[in-house]
Amino acid sequence: AVDALGRRVTIGDVASKAGLKLNQAETALQALAADSGGFLEVSDEGDVLYVFPSDYQVKLAAKSLRLRFKPVVDKLKAVAEYLIRVSFGTALLASIVIVYTAIIAILSGRSEEDNRGRRERSYDPGFSRSYNSGFNFFISPADLFWYWDPYYYRRPRRKEGGGMNFFEAVFSFVFGDGDPNQGIEEERWKLIGEYITSHGGVVTAEELAPYLDVSPVDEDKEDESYVLPVLLQFDGRPEVDNKGNILYRFPSLQRTASTWFGRKEYVGKRWKTWIGEATKFFQERQWDFSKAGGTEKSMVVALGGLNLAGVIILGSMLKDIAIVQGGFLSFVVNVFPLLQIYAGSFFVIPLSRWFLIRKKNADIYQRNRARKQRALALEAPDFSLRQKIESARDMAERTIIGKERIIYSTEKDLADQDYDAKDWERRLRELERSD
């Protein structure tokens, strides 16, 4: 229907073209506009139009594909994080043990050979050292079992006093402590819902901006398409007042069974003074490089440096060995490239993550700053914005559904409830009020 009508449609256009109910067409258009970068227009007679860009189908298909594969990607990501955490944390101690045991074994072998045959070595120019070490080792720290928790980020174990144990500190230093804003979207929607409810169910886009991802005030003013996700979330709809301002009404948030909000159904401009102020703007949390303490991070860095130094020393020693015959040193030679990669990545990963966190925190700062600017602009609005907000307050309503308005309950049998009489009395009261 949108394509056939030239990507610029009203709710009635789509309802008639697609054979939908008006409320179904409205919900579908809001979802389509939110997912494809569409925006709203208002005519001089107050008609609301939904306008879509020429590439809206491409954007919609891309988002649909991401949503389709998101559960699979999330599961694979969780499995990968689990495997990396299990292998990376235990590998530090294992690497240190392997590297320095190999160094000791090589030094011991050199000492024994020096004592046995200095003369034999001096007359054989083609001589190369040969080792046949039967040494083997096994490491099984009992404290590793906690580390294999696939829900590490959700319930990390802490020592008494808030510190981390060694393995936890290693993972925190290398990979961080997870997203500090996990679950924050629920908090965002809670704040928005509280604000809309506290202002009688009718608000302006400028009032919702401090809770959404918007551009700063000093930049060119954008359209109000950022409101579309809120309309979808709380079943809202745009309306136009008699001055041509776009306001947003949320009928479901204007009706309540709670008597806490007050006794009057029409709240008007005084609504805010009755129920109090909502949180002024939404803030994202900054990322921490690591929540490990200074002592814990120093210990991790020291052990990582010890491992890196050992790998460098061992590498120079292995260059002098041409033949390794079985045993532990043969194993070390085979895994030495992995030891080198591990020793280097132990510091490369945190360094890369540090630069990435700086970029993320800068973006978070800009978004928080933009939302705060929007909130401050509401405290000292210009004349046009003040009129727009006052119009929204004039249209605000609150319907409290008390016991006296109940005409039917499943608690009692239908025969015991005088449904028709109560319904007739309710309609009569409404007519009397309208007169």
Side-chain angles (χ1 to χ4, degrees), residues 6-308:
R7 303 191 310 278
R8 190 170 179 270
V9 297
T10 65
I11 295 172
D13 290 336
V14 174
S16 59
K17 185 72 175 178
L20 297 173
K21 294 180 180 179
L22 286 173
N23 60 343
Q24 290 177 324
E26 184 177 23
T27 301
L29 281 171
Q30 289 173 359
L32 187 61
D35 290 342
S36 62
F39 56 93
L40 304 178
E41 290 182 346
V42 180
S43 70
D44 56 355
E45 296 184 355
D47 300 303
V48 177
L49 289 81
Y50 292 81
V51 185
F52 299 90
S54 58
D55 61 343
Y56 83 96
Q57 288 197 18
V58 176
K59 295 179 180 178
L60 189 66
K63 185 164 186 178
S64 177
L65 189 65
R66 288 198 304 270
L67 292 176
R68 187 176 303 171
F69 288 101
K70 188 175 185 300
V72 177
V73 172
D74 289 343
K75 288 182 180 179
L76 293 176
K77 183 180 177 181
V79 171
E81 288 176 349
Y82 166 76
L83 294 176
I84 292 173
R85 183 172 70 251
V86 170
S87 60
F88 214 93
T90 57
L92 177 59
L93 290 182
S95 177
I96 291 174
V97 171
I98 292 172
V99 167
Y100 283 95
T101 303
I103 291 174
I104 294 172
I106 292 173
L107 292 176
S108 300
R110 284 180 177 178
S111 178
E112 291 177 3
E113 289 192 359
D114 286 343
N115 292 334
R116 282 201 312 265
R118 286 192 179 89
R119 184 179 301 175
E120 187 174 318
R121 286 199 304 273
S122 63
Y123 288 99
D124 187 358
F127 175 80
S128 63
R129 294 184 180 89
S130 176
Y131 293 90
N132 184 11
S133 172
F135 178 81
N136 290 291
F137 78 98
F138 176 76
I139 179 170
S140 178
D143 196 33
L144 292 179
F145 288 103
W146 75 269
Y147 203 62
W148 298 347
D149 179 11
Y151 302 101
Y152 167 81
Y153 281 131
R154 298 183 185 178
R155 52 171 186 266
R157 195 182 79 173
R158 297 283 187 270
K159 289 181 178 180
E160 294 182 4
M164 296 182 179
N165 63 41
F166 170 74
F167 297 102
E168 195 174 9
V170 169
F171 187 78
S172 176
F173 172 78
V174 178
F175 296 106
D177 302 284
D179 187 355
N181 295 306
Q182 186 175 12
I184 203 170
E185 283 302 310
E186 288 80 0
E187 181 181 337
R188 185 205 296 263
W189 290 122
K190 179 175 179 290
L191 292 174
I192 294 174
E194 288 177 348
Y195 187 91
I196 296 171
T197 302
S198 69
H199 289 75
V202 181
V203 295
T204 66
E206 289 82 357
E207 291 179 280
L208 295 177
Y211 304 98
L212 301 171
D213 296 334
V214 292
S215 60
V217 176
D218 51 3
E219 294 185 7
D220 293 336
K221 288 193 175 181
E222 56 193 74
D223 58 60
E224 297 183 359
S225 59
Y226 58 83
V227 178
L228 290 171
V230 184
L231 299 182
L232 284 173
Q233 181 76 12
F234 296 110
D235 192 25
R237 63 172 182 263
E239 293 185 359
V240 181
D241 64 8
N242 53 11
K243 297 178 182 177
N245 297 314
I246 303 180
L247 307 176
Y248 300 93
R249 182 184 295 275
F250 299 85
S252 298
L253 302 185
Q254 292 180 310
R255 307 179 69 84
T256 180
S258 173
T259 58
W260 179 82
F261 289 97
R263 63 186 183 280
K264 294 186 179 181
E265 294 184 358
Y266 181 78
V267 292
K269 300 177 184 177
R270 291 176 293 172
W271 178 256
K272 287 172 66 177
T273 61
W274 286 359
I275 64 97
E277 292 284 349
T279 302
K280 291 185 177 181
F281 63 96
F282 171 75
Q283 291 193 82
E284 297 176 68
R285 303 180 188 94
Q286 297 264 323
W287 285 66
D288 292 326
F289 175 77
S290 173
K291 292 182 180 179
T295 303
E296 294 159 341
K297 282 188 283 192
S298 299
M299 177 182 64
V300 171
V301 171
L303 287 175
L306 180 67
N307 181 59
L308 180 62

